[in-house]
Amino acid sequence: MSKELKTGIAAILIIAIFIWGYNFLKGQNLLDSGKRVFKVEYPKIGGLSKSSPVTINGFKVGKVDKIEFDITDKKRGNLIVTFIVENDFQFSKKSIVKIYSPNPLSNSSLAIVPSYEGDWAVSGDTLEGEIEESLFTSIGERLNPLQNKIEAVIVEADSLFANINKILNKKTVNSINSSVTDLAATIVNIKETVKSVNSMVVDNQDNLKVTLEKTKNITENINKVTDSLTAVDFKKIIAKAENAVDNFNDLSTKLNSGDGTIAKLINDKKMYNNLEAATKELEELLRDIKLNPKRYVHFSIFGKNSDPFEAAEDKKE
């Protein structure tokens, strides 16, 4: 074998090794013929790049081959990711390919969430894709509405402070200062008053004790009176009062009906007239006794007869 042939063969081997090493560094193994190719489409890839690893349950089974734009009218602008699975692990067409970030400092990767229902996925199939939001993306999405609220609060606070600055002019500040001064003086007066009250209480402590004792005695007496009133049988008293009222009603009924002497005396006019006439005659008799006592009481040694009775009217005549 000539030197030229040996040199040519060595050059071809070197070129082949260089090509294989270059592709190997890019993640492509030209010697592996059992690889499968799948596609998945996303609206965004979130840091996914060519040669990013593809894993199943955390185990690397392939890599991303290429990323290109979708040029169709319905999905224009979406990204079609083509990845290679070098492992012969079987999963169905219902499996989901998820973009996730293993840690905040690394690029995104593809994770196949395998499903075993339905037909097995074969090379050339397009699988369903999802995007797993990273920690920072989730925090950012949650902080966005909070940021809007904070901005609104800051704007309102700014307007509030502006209004406060308008209100707190020199006159208002002076008024507030004078009010604070008056309030401090009032507090001092209240303290002095409290001290005076305390000293007065201390000086009159004995009198307060005596007053409290008297009040206690009065309260005890009131309790005794209350107990006495409680012991009184008000039912019997009320019953007796009712009996007295009934008796008075009976008496009034009899007097009005005309039964009995008193009723006849009250209701009979003749009886009244007779009593009035008798009273008049008795009055005349007493008057005559006063005027002529000898006529009724007579002492005579010689048996002289007394004058006959004459009425006062006859005597005048």
Side-chain angles (χ1 to χ4, degrees):
M1 184 179 294
S2 64
K3 291 181 180 181
E4 290 81 1
L5 183 59
K6 290 180 181 180
T7 302
I9 294 171
I12 292 171
L13 290 175
I14 291 171
I15 293 171
I17 294 171
F18 177 77
I19 294 172
W20 177 84
Y22 176 76
N23 287 284
F24 182 79
L25 292 174
K26 290 171 55 178
Q28 297 179 0
N29 189 358
L30 299 176
L31 300 178
D32 188 3
S33 60
K35 59 184 180 182
R36 294 173 291 173
V37 178
F38 298 97
K39 292 182 179 182
V40 61
E41 189 168 352
Y42 301 99
K44 57 183 179 179
I45 57 175
L48 188 70
S49 62
K50 192 176 180 180
S51 301
S52 294
V54 178
T55 60
I56 296 178
N57 296 333
F59 179 70
K60 183 180 178 181
V61 295
K63 65 183 183 307
V64 175
D65 183 40
K66 60 182 178 179
I67 301 173
E68 55 189 354
F69 284 102
D70 191 344
I71 59 175
T72 61
D73 294 334
K74 293 183 178 180
K75 297 182 179 181
R76 186 179 299 274
N78 286 355
L79 295 168
I80 300 173
V81 178
T82 303
F83 63 94
I84 300 171
V85 176
E86 300 171 350
N87 192 287
D88 57 356
F89 182 79
Q90 297 293 327
F91 49 87
S92 71
K93 294 181 180 181
K94 295 183 180 180
S95 300
I96 297 173
V97 182
K98 185 181 294 185
I99 297 177
Y100 75 101
S101 179
N103 57 73
L105 300 178
S106 64
N107 294 328
S108 298
S109 302
L110 286 182
I112 300 174
V113 182
S115 174
Y116 309 106
E117 297 179 358
D119 298 334
W120 295 119
V122 296
S123 182
D125 289 339
T126 300
L127 303 178
E128 183 180 357
E130 287 184 1
I131 300 175
E132 183 181 81
E133 299 294 343
S134 64
L135 177 62
F136 295 102
T137 305
S138 179
I139 292 174
E141 291 179 352
R142 295 184 181 181
L143 288 178
N144 285 334
L146 181 61
Q147 180 182 359
N148 295 330
K149 292 182 180 179
I150 292 173
E151 289 177 354
V153 170
I154 291 172
V155 172
E156 292 179 358
D158 186 35
S159 60
L160 177 62
F161 286 125
N163 294 327
I164 291 173
N165 290 329
K166 291 180 181 179
I167 293 171
L168 294 179
N169 51 23
K170 291 183 179 180
K171 292 183 179 179
T172 306
V173 172
N174 293 330
S175 299
I176 292 172
N177 291 331
S178 61
S179 299
V180 172
T181 304
D182 295 338
L183 180 60
T186 304
I187 293 172
V188 171
N189 293 330
I190 291 172
K191 289 182 179 179
E192 295 295 332
T193 304
V194 171
K195 288 181 181 179
S196 300
V197 172
N198 290 333
S199 61
M200 185 176 64
V201 170
V202 172
D203 295 336
N204 296 281
Q205 188 172 4
D206 296 333
N207 294 329
L208 288 173
K209 288 182 179 179
V210 173
T211 303
L212 291 174
E213 289 179 356
K214 291 182 179 179
T215 305
K216 183 178 180 181
N217 294 329
I218 292 170
T219 304
E220 291 177 353
N221 293 329
I222 292 172
N223 290 331
K224 290 180 181 179
V225 172
T226 304
D227 294 337
S228 301
L229 291 174
T230 304
V232 174
D233 193 354
F234 287 100
K235 290 184 179 179
K236 291 182 179 179
I237 294 173
I238 293 171
K240 289 180 180 180
E242 289 178 351
N243 291 329
V245 171
D246 292 337
N247 292 330
F248 181 78
N249 290 331
D250 293 338
L251 178 61
S252 177
T253 302
K254 289 181 180 180
L255 290 175
N256 292 326
S257 63
D259 295 336
T261 304
I262 296 175
K264 290 179 179 180
L265 181 63
I266 293 172
N267 297 322
D268 193 357
K269 292 183 179 180
K270 292 181 178 180
M271 181 69 71
Y272 174 75
N273 294 328
N274 292 330
L275 287 174
E276 186 178 4
T279 302
K280 287 183 179 180
E281 291 179 356
L282 180 60
E283 182 180 358
E284 291 177 357
L285 177 61
L286 292 174
R287 187 180 300 156
D288 187 68
I289 290 172
K290 285 183 179 181
L291 296 174
N292 302 302
K294 293 181 180 181
R295 184 179 296 172
Y296 300 98
V297 181
H298 179 70
F299 293 96
S300 177
I301 298 174
F302 301 103
K304 184 178 178 180
N305 293 328
S306 59
D307 296 332
F309 173 74
E310 289 181 2
E313 295 178 357
D314 297 338
K315 191 171 181 180
K316 289 180 181 179
E317 292 176 357

